[in-house]
């Protein structure tokens, strides 16, 4: 069997011919079955939260977590960077979660004392649905201030001043790069029938670190 492919615009002649016999059919079927055309694999979808603890890690999985009991779906621990040159890459495309823990409900949380840079992929979608009592709900949370310098104080400006003096005249070297085309949706509601509780809803939260935000980022609260 002879199948003519795309024709030349000038002369109407085929640019090349494709000849397929029975052996060719078998070969084509084998290529399709073995994935020899290098079709991209879909990212795995995790149903449990993840804490990144080692330097140089790249996260590629997506997340869909129900009733998350961790303070964040994806947590970047301080141990994931040793120096300001260390980079943690998050190539995740989708983070979605509902929360059942207390106080904290975050899509991505970069801990204080993380000295490096977290690079987030372009086009990432983050959805946080936190319905509960006394929540701080955030899409992407950069906790740049180290409270341990003055553990008796809850005033972050006081802690920021202490950090400045103890960290070579800068408050925090923690850097988060939010990719272009990112979309963040945060839903935070008090339990039905309860009033007077603390519910805080923020799409992007930066506590004295460095947060660089790309173009066309959409925030929904």
């Amino acid at each position: 069997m002879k199948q003519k492919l795309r024709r030349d615009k000038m002369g109407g002649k085929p640019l090349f011919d494709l000849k397929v016999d029975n052996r060719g059919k078998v070969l084509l079927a084998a290529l399709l079955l073995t994935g020899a055309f290098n079709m991209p694999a879909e990212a795995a979808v995790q149903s449990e939260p993840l804490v990144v603890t080692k330097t140089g890690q790249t996260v590629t999985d997506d997340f869909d977590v129900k009733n998350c009991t961790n303070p964040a779906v994806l947590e970047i621990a301080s141990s994931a960077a040793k120096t300001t040159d260390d980079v943690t890459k998050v190539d995740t495309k989708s983070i979605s979660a509902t929360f059942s823990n207390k106080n904290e409900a975050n899509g991505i949380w970069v801990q204080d004392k993380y000295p490096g840079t977290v690079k987030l992929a372009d086009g990432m979608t983050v959805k946080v649905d936190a319905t509960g009592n006394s929540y701080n709900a955030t899409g992407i949370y950069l906790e740049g201030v180290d409270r341990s310098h003055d553990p008796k104080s809850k005033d972050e400006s006081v802690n920021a001043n202490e950090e400045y003096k103890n960290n070579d005249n800068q408050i925090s070297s923690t850097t988060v790069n939010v990719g272009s085309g990112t979309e963040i949706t945060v839903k935070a509601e008090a339990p039905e029938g309860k009033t007077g509780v603390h519910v805080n809803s923020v799409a992007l939260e930066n506590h004295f670190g460095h947060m660089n935000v790309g173009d066309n980022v959409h925030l929904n609260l």
Side-chain angles (χ1 to χ4, degrees):
M1 181 179 69
K2 182 178 180 180
Q3 181 180 355
K4 291 184 178 181
L5 297 184
R6 184 166 58 92
R7 291 182 173 273
D8 182 85
K9 293 182 179 179
M10 298 296 293
K13 297 180 180 180
L15 294 179
F16 56 89
D17 291 341
L18 175 65
K19 296 180 179 180
V20 180
D21 55 18
N22 289 334
R23 289 176 299 174
K25 292 179 181 178
V26 173
L27 176 60
L28 180 60
L31 288 171
L32 290 172
L33 288 173
T34 58
F37 287 118
N38 295 322
M39 296 183 69
E42 293 185 1
V45 179
Q46 303 297 332
S47 60
E48 297 293 333
L50 174 67
V51 180
V52 176
T53 58
K54 297 180 180 179
T55 59
Q57 282 189 261
T58 298
V59 180
T60 58
D61 289 346
D62 293 337
F63 295 86
D64 186 9
V65 181
K66 306 299 183 185
N67 296 321
C68 183
T69 56
N70 281 20
V73 178
L74 180 60
E75 188 173 343
I76 312 298
S78 57
S79 61
K82 302 299 183 184
T83 71
T84 55
D85 294 328
D86 289 332
V87 175
T88 302
K89 293 183 65 178
V90 181
D91 290 338
T92 298
K93 288 300 181 184
S94 177
I95 293 176
S96 178
T98 60
F99 285 80
S100 59
N101 67 313
K102 299 298 181 184
N103 299 320
E104 292 287 341
N106 304 287
I108 299 174
W109 177 20
V110 182
Q111 290 184 354
D112 62 331
K113 297 184 180 180
Y114 174 95
T117 297
V118 177
K119 292 185 176 180
L120 306 179
D122 292 340
M124 181 184 295
T125 299
V126 180
K127 295 182 179 179
V128 173
D129 186 347
T131 300
N133 188 14
S134 299
Y135 265 122
N136 290 308
T138 305
I140 299 172
Y141 175 31
L142 190 169
E143 187 182 13
V145 173
D146 179 8
R147 295 173 181 266
S148 63
H149 292 307
D150 188 3
K152 294 181 180 179
S153 175
K154 294 184 179 181
D155 185 343
E156 289 192 343
S157 62
V158 173
N159 289 288
N161 290 334
E162 292 299 317
E163 180 74 5
Y164 183 85
K165 291 186 291 185
N166 286 277
N167 194 28
D168 195 26
N169 292 338
Q170 66 174 341
I171 295 176
S172 172
S173 60
T174 305
T175 300
V176 173
N177 295 336
V178 179
S180 296
T182 297
E183 183 170 355
I184 301 173
T185 302
V186 179
K187 179 182 179 183
E189 296 180 353
E192 186 176 355
K194 291 189 176 181
T195 60
V197 298
H198 170 75
V199 178
N200 185 33
S201 177
V202 181
L204 294 171
E205 188 168 359
N206 176 15
H207 287 192
F208 303 100
H210 306 273
M211 183 176 284
N212 305 309
V213 181
D215 298 327
N216 300 315
V217 173
H218 300 275
L219 311 178
N220 306 297
L221 299 174

